[in-house]
Amino acid sequence: MTAPDGPAPSSGRGATPSSGRGAAPDPEPPSTAHGAAPAPAAPWTPWTRRRRSAARFWRRYRAHRAGLCGLAVLLVIALVALAAPLLVGDGARSVTDAPGTALEEPSGRFPLGTDQFGRPVLGLLVWGARVSLTVGLLAAALSVAIGTLIGVAAGHFGGWFATVVMRITDWFLVMPTLVLAIVLATVLSRSVWTVILAIGVTVWPTTARLVRAQTIAVESRPYIERARALGGGHLHVMRRHVLPNVLPLVLSQTTLCVSSAILTEATLAFLGLGDPTVVSWGGMLQDAREAGAVSSGHWWYLAPPGIAVAVVALAFTLCGRALESVLNPRLGVGR
């Protein structure tokens, strides 16, 4: 007996099922169902990672109100210093073409009075911000660079090299920094670059000791041993592994060194060891002392540069403390 013709039975796994209700249609992607093409995923690039790291850093930094106040003060002072030719003009520094008389009291024309040459103290204060900030930043950068180089090398190589280097560092720590800076500023020619060099080569030992301790901690981690086992040399390990891990410490130390450098520059200029051809806050204090502002009661000549030095040093200190808390979460948040 012959079987009636009909559809062959489906026994394979990949066969399409046949039923009275029909086969279920294939589901469409959600983006295609609405008529919009799927958006391509953003590529993960180093710039994307850096952008996200910067955003995360700024989020944590904003939690420090004192650090934000210090940063705002520094930005205002930096903008005023850059705009000095537009705000007060170049004639504010001229001794031969002074707009006022000697040691005038504060008035509507001269809000902070005049100096012994008739120059407006406000104009000198604005121009002095340029020199003081420049000396502070460059001297701090030089000292931190020297301290970082010595600290990383001593922590990485160790042995007799670290012993010799750290004994030299201890000698610099024992010697008064101001005395060494005065000696260098006296021996060398009197200029702004001499002051920067004198400060930079005398205040690096603290940075060197901090960086050496951090380097020793980084060198004990397992990935350093793996890098050496894979053939990484001394320069590779220090440049690719050690230095990136000590940079946060170096950054916070730089902001703290700037305030110290500004105070040292003001002290050197007050002692008459600065460049007499430029206007700085320390030079203004030295001129006020020579003019007898302390004994004569001319407070408007003495107080503004001293307050400016204190405010900038405090602002850099606040920024440095905030950076320490952000880069080292163990210090806590919100100081």
Side-chain angles (χ1 to χ4, degrees), residues 292-324:
V294 179
S295 58
S296 302
H298 299 142
W299 59 268
W300 62 87
Y301 192 11
L302 187 65
I307 294 175
V309 171
V311 168
V312 172
L314 178 62
F316 272 109
T317 302
L318 292 177
C319 291
R321 296 303 181 189
L323 282 175
E324 281 184 343

PDB file of all heavy atoms in Angstrom, residues 292-324:
ATOM      1  N   GLY A 292      62.458 104.536  55.049  1.00  0.00           N
ATOM      2  CA  GLY A 292      62.027 104.804  56.408  1.00  0.00           C
ATOM      3  C   GLY A 292      60.533 104.715  56.599  1.00  0.00           C
ATOM      4  O   GLY A 292      59.970 105.432  57.444  1.00  0.00           O
ATOM      5  N   ALA A 293      59.868 103.820  55.835  1.00  0.00           N
ATOM      6  CA  ALA A 293      58.415 103.709  55.937  1.00  0.00           C
ATOM      7  C   ALA A 293      57.983 103.177  57.296  1.00  0.00           C
ATOM      8  O   ALA A 293      56.892 103.510  57.778  1.00  0.00           O
ATOM      9  CB  ALA A 293      57.888 102.805  54.823  1.00  0.00           C
ATOM     10  N   VAL A 294      58.823 102.362  57.932  1.00  0.00           N
ATOM     11  CA  VAL A 294      58.444 101.794  59.226  1.00  0.00           C
ATOM     12  C   VAL A 294      58.445 102.865  60.306  1.00  0.00           C
ATOM     13  O   VAL A 294      57.493 103.018  61.081  1.00  0.00           O
ATOM     14  CB  VAL A 294      59.401 100.646  59.592  1.00  0.00           C
ATOM     15  CG1 VAL A 294      59.041 100.059  60.949  1.00  0.00           C
ATOM     16  CG2 VAL A 294      59.368  99.555  58.524  1.00  0.00           C
ATOM     17  N   SER A 295      59.509 103.646  60.371  1.00  0.00           N
ATOM     18  CA  SER A 295      59.617 104.666  61.416  1.00  0.00           C
ATOM     19  C   SER A 295      58.768 105.900  61.123  1.00  0.00           C
ATOM     20  O   SER A 295      58.356 106.606  62.049  1.00  0.00           O
ATOM     21  CB  SER A 295      61.087 105.082  61.581  1.00  0.00           C
ATOM     22  OG  SER A 295      61.608 105.579  60.350  1.00  0.00           O
ATOM     23  N   SER A 296      58.503 106.175  59.838  1.00  0.00           N
ATOM     24  CA  SER A 296      57.744 107.369  59.477  1.00  0.00           C
ATOM     25  C   SER A 296      56.246 107.132  59.450  1.00  0.00           C
ATOM     26  O   SER A 296      55.479 108.083  59.279  1.00  0.00           O
ATOM     27  CB  SER A 296      58.195 107.877  58.100  1.00  0.00           C
ATOM     28  OG  SER A 296      59.585 108.163  58.105  1.00  0.00           O
ATOM     29  N   GLY A 297      55.808 105.904  59.588  1.00  0.00           N
ATOM     30  CA  GLY A 297      54.384 105.614  59.590  1.00  0.00           C
ATOM     31  C   GLY A 297      53.746 105.569  58.221  1.00  0.00           C
ATOM     32  O   GLY A 297      52.517 105.687  58.114  1.00  0.00           O
ATOM     33  N   HIS A 298      54.546 105.370  57.171  1.00  0.00           N
ATOM     34  CA  HIS A 298      54.003 105.261  55.814  1.00  0.00           C
ATOM     35  C   HIS A 298      53.584 103.790  55.566  1.00  0.00           C
ATOM     36  O   HIS A 298      54.223 103.051  54.822  1.00  0.00           O
ATOM     37  CB  HIS A 298      55.042 105.698  54.792  1.00  0.00           C
ATOM     38  CG  HIS A 298      55.470 107.124  54.962  1.00  0.00           C
ATOM     39  ND1 HIS A 298      56.779 107.551  54.780  1.00  0.00           N
ATOM     40  CD2 HIS A 298      54.774 108.233  55.338  1.00  0.00           C
ATOM     41  CE1 HIS A 298      56.865 108.851  55.001  1.00  0.00           C
ATOM     42  NE2 HIS A 298      55.654 109.291  55.344  1.00  0.00           N
ATOM     43  N   TRP A 299      52.474 103.410  56.183  1.00  0.00           N
ATOM     44  CA  TRP A 299      52.040 102.018  56.131  1.00  0.00           C
ATOM     45  C   TRP A 299      51.624 101.591  54.737  1.00  0.00           C
ATOM     46  O   TRP A 299      51.710 100.414  54.383  1.00  0.00           O
ATOM     47  CB  TRP A 299      50.871 101.821  57.096  1.00  0.00           C
ATOM     48  CG  TRP A 299      49.694 102.712  56.778  1.00  0.00           C
ATOM     49  CD1 TRP A 299      49.450 103.945  57.282  1.00  0.00           C
ATOM     50  CD2 TRP A 299      48.645 102.426  55.846  1.00  0.00           C
ATOM     51  NE1 TRP A 299      48.297 104.473  56.745  1.00  0.00           N
ATOM     52  CE2 TRP A 299      47.779 103.560  55.864  1.00  0.00           C
ATOM     53  CE3 TRP A 299      48.334 101.354  55.028  1.00  0.00           C
ATOM     54  CZ2 TRP A 299      46.643 103.626  55.067  1.00  0.00           C
ATOM     55  CZ3 TRP A 299      47.203 101.413  54.247  1.00  0.00           C
ATOM     56  CH2 TRP A 299      46.367 102.540  54.269  1.00  0.00           C
ATOM     57  N   TRP A 300      51.110 102.547  53.928  1.00  0.00           N
ATOM     58  CA  TRP A 300      50.625 102.186  52.595  1.00  0.00           C
ATOM     59  C   TRP A 300      51.746 101.749  51.658  1.00  0.00           C
ATOM     60  O   TRP A 300      51.489 101.140  50.635  1.00  0.00           O
ATOM     61  CB  TRP A 300      49.892 103.379  51.979  1.00  0.00           C
ATOM     62  CG  TRP A 300      50.766 104.595  51.773  1.00  0.00           C
ATOM     63  CD1 TRP A 300      51.544 104.893  50.697  1.00  0.00           C
ATOM     64  CD2 TRP A 300      50.962 105.671  52.696  1.00  0.00           C
ATOM     65  NE1 TRP A 300      52.212 106.073  50.878  1.00  0.00           N
ATOM     66  CE2 TRP A 300      51.866 106.578  52.100  1.00  0.00           C
ATOM     67  CE3 TRP A 300      50.454 105.955  53.968  1.00  0.00           C
ATOM     68  CZ2 TRP A 300      52.272 107.747  52.739  1.00  0.00           C
ATOM     69  CZ3 TRP A 300      50.848 107.123  54.587  1.00  0.00           C
ATOM     70  CH2 TRP A 300      51.745 108.007  53.984  1.00  0.00           C
ATOM     71  N   TYR A 301      52.985 102.071  52.003  1.00  0.00           N
ATOM     72  CA  TYR A 301      54.119 101.652  51.193  1.00  0.00           C
ATOM     73  C   TYR A 301      54.626 100.283  51.627  1.00  0.00           C
ATOM     74  O   TYR A 301      55.172  99.530  50.816  1.00  0.00           O
ATOM     75  CB  TYR A 301      55.235 102.695  51.309  1.00  0.00           C
ATOM     76  CG  TYR A 301      56.363 102.562  50.312  1.00  0.00           C
ATOM     77  CD1 TYR A 301      56.276 101.703  49.226  1.00  0.00           C
ATOM     78  CD2 TYR A 301      57.523 103.309  50.452  1.00  0.00           C
ATOM     79  CE1 TYR A 301      57.302 101.588  48.309  1.00  0.00           C
ATOM     80  CE2 TYR A 301      58.559 103.204  49.545  1.00  0.00           C
ATOM     81  CZ  TYR A 301      58.452 102.339  48.488  1.00  0.00           C
ATOM     82  OH  TYR A 301      59.484 102.233  47.591  1.00  0.00           O
ATOM     83  N   LEU A 302      54.450  99.952  52.886  1.00  0.00           N
ATOM     84  CA  LEU A 302      55.004  98.722  53.438  1.00  0.00           C
ATOM     85  C   LEU A 302      54.005  97.569  53.443  1.00  0.00           C
ATOM     86  O   LEU A 302      54.368  96.421  53.182  1.00  0.00           O
ATOM     87  CB  LEU A 302      55.492  98.986  54.865  1.00  0.00           C
ATOM     88  CG  LEU A 302      56.262  97.868  55.566  1.00  0.00           C
ATOM     89  CD1 LEU A 302      57.580  97.600  54.853  1.00  0.00           C
ATOM     90  CD2 LEU A 302      56.511  98.237  57.021  1.00  0.00           C
ATOM     91  N   ALA A 303      52.738  97.868  53.735  1.00  0.00           N
ATOM     92  CA  ALA A 303      51.757  96.794  53.925  1.00  0.00           C
ATOM     93  C   ALA A 303      51.368  96.067  52.636  1.00  0.00           C
ATOM     94  O   ALA A 303      51.295  94.827  52.637  1.00  0.00           O
ATOM     95  CB  ALA A 303      50.517  97.356  54.618  1.00  0.00           C
ATOM     96  N   PRO A 304      51.078  96.748  51.505  1.00  0.00           N
ATOM     97  CA  PRO A 304      50.589  96.011  50.320  1.00  0.00           C
ATOM     98  C   PRO A 304      51.516  94.917  49.810  1.00  0.00           C
ATOM     99  O   PRO A 304      51.043  93.784  49.577  1.00  0.00           O
ATOM    100  CB  PRO A 304      50.391  97.119  49.276  1.00  0.00           C
ATOM    101  CG  PRO A 304      50.136  98.339  50.076  1.00  0.00           C
ATOM    102  CD  PRO A 304      50.988  98.203  51.293  1.00  0.00           C
ATOM    103  N   PRO A 305      52.831  95.149  49.621  1.00  0.00           N
ATOM    104  CA  PRO A 305      53.661  94.025  49.142  1.00  0.00           C
ATOM    105  C   PRO A 305      53.767  92.899  50.156  1.00  0.00           C
ATOM    106  O   PRO A 305      53.799  91.722  49.779  1.00  0.00           O
ATOM    107  CB  PRO A 305      55.022  94.678  48.878  1.00  0.00           C
ATOM    108  CG  PRO A 305      55.024  95.928  49.670  1.00  0.00           C
ATOM    109  CD  PRO A 305      53.615  96.393  49.703  1.00  0.00           C
ATOM    110  N   GLY A 306      53.802  93.225  51.443  1.00  0.00           N
ATOM    111  CA  GLY A 306      53.851  92.166  52.447  1.00  0.00           C
ATOM    112  C   GLY A 306      52.591  91.322  52.451  1.00  0.00           C
ATOM    113  O   GLY A 306      52.652  90.087  52.540  1.00  0.00           O
ATOM    114  N   ILE A 307      51.438  91.979  52.329  1.00  0.00           N
ATOM    115  CA  ILE A 307      50.174  91.233  52.273  1.00  0.00           C
ATOM    116  C   ILE A 307      50.100  90.400  51.000  1.00  0.00           C
ATOM    117  O   ILE A 307      49.607  89.259  51.022  1.00  0.00           O
ATOM    118  CB  ILE A 307      48.992  92.214  52.372  1.00  0.00           C
ATOM    119  CG1 ILE A 307      48.962  92.882  53.752  1.00  0.00           C
ATOM    120  CG2 ILE A 307      47.673  91.501  52.103  1.00  0.00           C
ATOM    121  CD1 ILE A 307      47.909  93.940  53.892  1.00  0.00           C
ATOM    122  N   ALA A 308      50.579  90.941  49.879  1.00  0.00           N
ATOM    123  CA  ALA A 308      50.550  90.195  48.614  1.00  0.00           C
ATOM    124  C   ALA A 308      51.388  88.923  48.706  1.00  0.00           C
ATOM    125  O   ALA A 308      50.968  87.850  48.252  1.00  0.00           O
ATOM    126  CB  ALA A 308      51.042  91.086  47.474  1.00  0.00           C
ATOM    127  N   VAL A 309      52.579  89.030  49.306  1.00  0.00           N
ATOM    128  CA  VAL A 309      53.431  87.846  49.471  1.00  0.00           C
ATOM    129  C   VAL A 309      52.738  86.804  50.340  1.00  0.00           C
ATOM    130  O   VAL A 309      52.720  85.608  50.024  1.00  0.00           O
ATOM    131  CB  VAL A 309      54.787  88.251  50.089  1.00  0.00           C
ATOM    132  CG1 VAL A 309      55.594  87.009  50.469  1.00  0.00           C
ATOM    133  CG2 VAL A 309      55.588  89.088  49.106  1.00  0.00           C
ATOM    134  N   ALA A 310      52.130  87.246  51.439  1.00  0.00           N
ATOM    135  CA  ALA A 310      51.447  86.313  52.337  1.00  0.00           C
ATOM    136  C   ALA A 310      50.246  85.651  51.665  1.00  0.00           C
ATOM    137  O   ALA A 310      50.023  84.442  51.818  1.00  0.00           O
ATOM    138  CB  ALA A 310      51.016  87.049  53.604  1.00  0.00           C
ATOM    139  N   VAL A 311      49.474  86.429  50.888  1.00  0.00           N
ATOM    140  CA  VAL A 311      48.276  85.883  50.239  1.00  0.00           C
ATOM    141  C   VAL A 311      48.654  84.841  49.192  1.00  0.00           C
ATOM    142  O   VAL A 311      48.046  83.759  49.117  1.00  0.00           O
ATOM    143  CB  VAL A 311      47.446  87.024  49.619  1.00  0.00           C
ATOM    144  CG1 VAL A 311      46.367  86.469  48.691  1.00  0.00           C
ATOM    145  CG2 VAL A 311      46.794  87.859  50.712  1.00  0.00           C
ATOM    146  N   VAL A 312      49.663  85.138  48.363  1.00  0.00           N
ATOM    147  CA  VAL A 312      50.062  84.185  47.322  1.00  0.00           C
ATOM    148  C   VAL A 312      50.657  82.921  47.942  1.00  0.00           C
ATOM    149  O   VAL A 312      50.366  81.796  47.495  1.00  0.00           O
ATOM    150  CB  VAL A 312      51.055  84.853  46.355  1.00  0.00           C
ATOM    151  CG1 VAL A 312      51.639  83.829  45.392  1.00  0.00           C
ATOM    152  CG2 VAL A 312      50.360  85.939  45.563  1.00  0.00           C
ATOM    153  N   ALA A 313      51.483  83.074  48.966  1.00  0.00           N
ATOM    154  CA  ALA A 313      52.047  81.896  49.627  1.00  0.00           C
ATOM    155  C   ALA A 313      50.946  81.039  50.241  1.00  0.00           C
ATOM    156  O   ALA A 313      50.968  79.803  50.140  1.00  0.00           O
ATOM    157  CB  ALA A 313      53.052  82.337  50.691  1.00  0.00           C
ATOM    158  N   LEU A 314      49.961  81.678  50.869  1.00  0.00           N
ATOM    159  CA  LEU A 314      48.842  80.925  51.444  1.00  0.00           C
ATOM    160  C   LEU A 314      48.014  80.238  50.365  1.00  0.00           C
ATOM    161  O   LEU A 314      47.578  79.092  50.541  1.00  0.00           O
ATOM    162  CB  LEU A 314      47.968  81.872  52.271  1.00  0.00           C
ATOM    163  CG  LEU A 314      46.718  81.250  52.904  1.00  0.00           C
ATOM    164  CD1 LEU A 314      47.103  80.144  53.883  1.00  0.00           C
ATOM    165  CD2 LEU A 314      45.891  82.320  53.606  1.00  0.00           C
ATOM    166  N   ALA A 315      47.789  80.906  49.229  1.00  0.00           N
ATOM    167  CA  ALA A 315      46.999  80.316  48.154  1.00  0.00           C
ATOM    168  C   ALA A 315      47.688  79.077  47.589  1.00  0.00           C
ATOM    169  O   ALA A 315      47.038  78.039  47.364  1.00  0.00           O
ATOM    170  CB  ALA A 315      46.767  81.347  47.047  1.00  0.00           C
ATOM    171  N   PHE A 316      48.995  79.144  47.374  1.00  0.00           N
ATOM    172  CA  PHE A 316      49.716  77.966  46.875  1.00  0.00           C
ATOM    173  C   PHE A 316      49.706  76.850  47.912  1.00  0.00           C
ATOM    174  O   PHE A 316      49.608  75.662  47.555  1.00  0.00           O
ATOM    175  CB  PHE A 316      51.154  78.340  46.516  1.00  0.00           C
ATOM    176  CG  PHE A 316      51.316  78.831  45.115  1.00  0.00           C
ATOM    177  CD1 PHE A 316      51.590  80.163  44.861  1.00  0.00           C
ATOM    178  CD2 PHE A 316      51.193  77.977  44.041  1.00  0.00           C
ATOM    179  CE1 PHE A 316      51.738  80.634  43.562  1.00  0.00           C
ATOM    180  CE2 PHE A 316      51.343  78.428  42.736  1.00  0.00           C
ATOM    181  CZ  PHE A 316      51.612  79.757  42.497  1.00  0.00           C
ATOM    182  N   THR A 317      49.797  77.184  49.177  1.00  0.00           N
ATOM    183  CA  THR A 317      49.749  76.159  50.219  1.00  0.00           C
ATOM    184  C   THR A 317      48.398  75.465  50.249  1.00  0.00           C
ATOM    185  O   THR A 317      48.311  74.233  50.384  1.00  0.00           O
ATOM    186  CB  THR A 317      50.056  76.784  51.581  1.00  0.00           C
ATOM    187  OG1 THR A 317      51.340  77.419  51.541  1.00  0.00           O
ATOM    188  CG2 THR A 317      50.067  75.732  52.671  1.00  0.00           C
ATOM    189  N   LEU A 318      47.312  76.227  50.124  1.00  0.00           N
ATOM    190  CA  LEU A 318      45.976  75.632  50.096  1.00  0.00           C
ATOM    191  C   LEU A 318      45.808  74.709  48.897  1.00  0.00           C
ATOM    192  O   LEU A 318      45.234  73.608  49.009  1.00  0.00           O
ATOM    193  CB  LEU A 318      44.917  76.730  50.073  1.00  0.00           C
ATOM    194  CG  LEU A 318      44.785  77.585  51.338  1.00  0.00           C
ATOM    195  CD1 LEU A 318      43.748  78.672  51.131  1.00  0.00           C
ATOM    196  CD2 LEU A 318      44.434  76.730  52.536  1.00  0.00           C
ATOM    197  N   CYS A 319      46.301  75.139  47.734  1.00  0.00           N
ATOM    198  CA  CYS A 319      46.224  74.278  46.547  1.00  0.00           C
ATOM    199  C   CYS A 319      47.042  73.008  46.735  1.00  0.00           C
ATOM    200  O   CYS A 319      46.623  71.912  46.336  1.00  0.00           O
ATOM    201  CB  CYS A 319      46.703  75.044  45.316  1.00  0.00           C
ATOM    202  SG  CYS A 319      45.608  76.375  44.784  1.00  0.00           S
ATOM    203  N   GLY A 320      48.226  73.140  47.340  1.00  0.00           N
ATOM    204  CA  GLY A 320      49.058  71.964  47.569  1.00  0.00           C
ATOM    205  C   GLY A 320      48.421  70.972  48.523  1.00  0.00           C
ATOM    206  O   GLY A 320      48.464  69.752  48.302  1.00  0.00           O
ATOM    207  N   ARG A 321      47.792  71.464  49.592  1.00  0.00           N
ATOM    208  CA  ARG A 321      47.127  70.563  50.526  1.00  0.00           C
ATOM    209  C   ARG A 321      45.936  69.869  49.866  1.00  0.00           C
ATOM    210  O   ARG A 321      45.680  68.673  50.115  1.00  0.00           O
ATOM    211  CB  ARG A 321      46.653  71.345  51.747  1.00  0.00           C
ATOM    212  CG  ARG A 321      47.771  71.954  52.577  1.00  0.00           C
ATOM    213  CD  ARG A 321      48.745  70.912  53.042  1.00  0.00           C
ATOM    214  NE  ARG A 321      49.797  71.480  53.863  1.00  0.00           N
ATOM    215  CZ  ARG A 321      50.867  70.828  54.260  1.00  0.00           C
ATOM    216  NH1 ARG A 321      51.029  69.557  53.905  1.00  0.00           N
ATOM    217  NH2 ARG A 321      51.792  71.406  55.002  1.00  0.00           N
ATOM    218  N   ALA A 322      45.197  70.609  49.052  1.00  0.00           N
ATOM    219  CA  ALA A 322      44.073  69.990  48.347  1.00  0.00           C
ATOM    220  C   ALA A 322      44.549  68.920  47.371  1.00  0.00           C
ATOM    221  O   ALA A 322      43.935  67.848  47.255  1.00  0.00           O
ATOM    222  CB  ALA A 322      43.268  71.058  47.617  1.00  0.00           C
ATOM    223  N   LEU A 323      45.647  69.183  46.665  1.00  0.00           N
ATOM    224  CA  LEU A 323      46.196  68.178  45.751  1.00  0.00           C
ATOM    225  C   LEU A 323      46.646  66.934  46.504  1.00  0.00           C
ATOM    226  O   LEU A 323      46.469  65.809  46.022  1.00  0.00           O
ATOM    227  CB  LEU A 323      47.371  68.780  44.973  1.00  0.00           C
ATOM    228  CG  LEU A 323      47.022  69.700  43.806  1.00  0.00           C
ATOM    229  CD1 LEU A 323      48.281  70.301  43.220  1.00  0.00           C
ATOM    230  CD2 LEU A 323      46.262  68.948  42.734  1.00  0.00           C
ATOM    231  N   GLU A 324      47.242  67.125  47.669  1.00  0.00           N
ATOM    232  CA  GLU A 324      47.643  65.966  48.469  1.00  0.00           C
ATOM    233  C   GLU A 324      46.447  65.095  48.825  1.00  0.00           C
ATOM    234  O   GLU A 324      46.513  63.863  48.744  1.00  0.00           O
ATOM    235  CB  GLU A 324      48.338  66.435  49.747  1.00  0.00           C
ATOM    236  CG  GLU A 324      49.783  66.857  49.557  1.00  0.00           C
ATOM    237  CD  GLU A 324      50.445  67.207  50.871  1.00  0.00           C
ATOM    238  OE1 GLU A 324      49.720  67.437  51.859  1.00  0.00           O
ATOM    239  OE2 GLU A 324      51.675  67.254  50.911  1.00  0.00           O
TER     240      GLU A 324
END
